[in-house]
Amino acid sequence: MPVVKSLEDLKRLKEEALAKRMARTTTGRAQITVAMGTCGIAAGARDTMKAILEVIEQENLTGVVVTQTGCIGLCEWEPIVQVVVGDEPKVTYGKVSPERARQIMREHVQGGRVVSEFLVPG
Ligand code: FES
């Protein structure tokens, strides 16, 4: 634990902590894409998206970007969610209910482990 002897020390420590936090959010950056084509919406993609945004808000996650896309041609797997964590390859999940979305957020986006049981076979 560093010793703080002056206000300058305190400021320096604060800046170092902020820099570390920035580095973490940059390297831990995740991109989540929810398919919101006609089928996706019919299958409940809005609720899936809502669940993802709620987790981000509740857990106060930073460095997570959520976007939506149109049809990706995999009707029977809707709602579809794609996740990219850092430099890792894109992972496509199918039939993502709000419950599954919360699990994906917990295990993959926060924990870094792909949830293999929800993968779209490809
Ligand atoms: S909207 Fe269903 S496959 Fe495109």
Side-chain angles (χ1 to χ4, degrees):
M1 191 76 177
V3 182
V4 180
K5 290 183 189 158
S6 65
L7 194 59
E8 287 309 306
D9 281 357
L10 193 63
K11 275 188 196 157
R12 186 177 44 78
L13 282 175
K14 187 179 161 198
E15 272 163 18
E16 284 173 9
L18 277 177
K20 263 190 216 158
R21 191 172 160 192
M22 290 272 291
R24 241 198 331 260
T25 51
T26 316
T27 51
R29 197 177 173 80
Q31 226 182 346
I32 302 170
T33 308
V34 182
M36 303 276 265
T38 322
C39 290
I41 289 171
R46 281 191 211 282
D47 289 337
T48 301
M49 170 68 99
K50 200 169 147 234
I52 291 169
L53 296 175
E54 278 169 5
V55 171
I56 292 174
E57 199 184 311
Q58 284 160 6
E59 303 284 322
N60 212 358
L61 301 183
T62 54
V64 180
V65 179
V66 182
T67 52
Q68 62 183 64
T69 185
C71 167
I72 56 174
L74 293 167
C75 240
E76 78 261 36
W77 289 97
E78 298 285 0
I80 289 171
V81 174
Q82 295 179 314
V83 176
V84 179
V85 174
D87 298 330
E88 287 166 22
K90 177 164 62 187
V91 175
T92 303
Y93 292 108
K95 302 188 190 247
V96 184
S97 62
E99 187 48 47
R100 285 185 171 193
R102 282 188 280 273
Q103 188 175 340
I104 291 165
M105 291 301 288
R106 208 168 44 237
E107 292 184 25
H108 190 178
V109 177
Q110 295 183 265
R113 293 176 308 275
V114 173
V115 190
S116 43
E117 57 199 291
F118 306 153
L119 291 180
V120 171

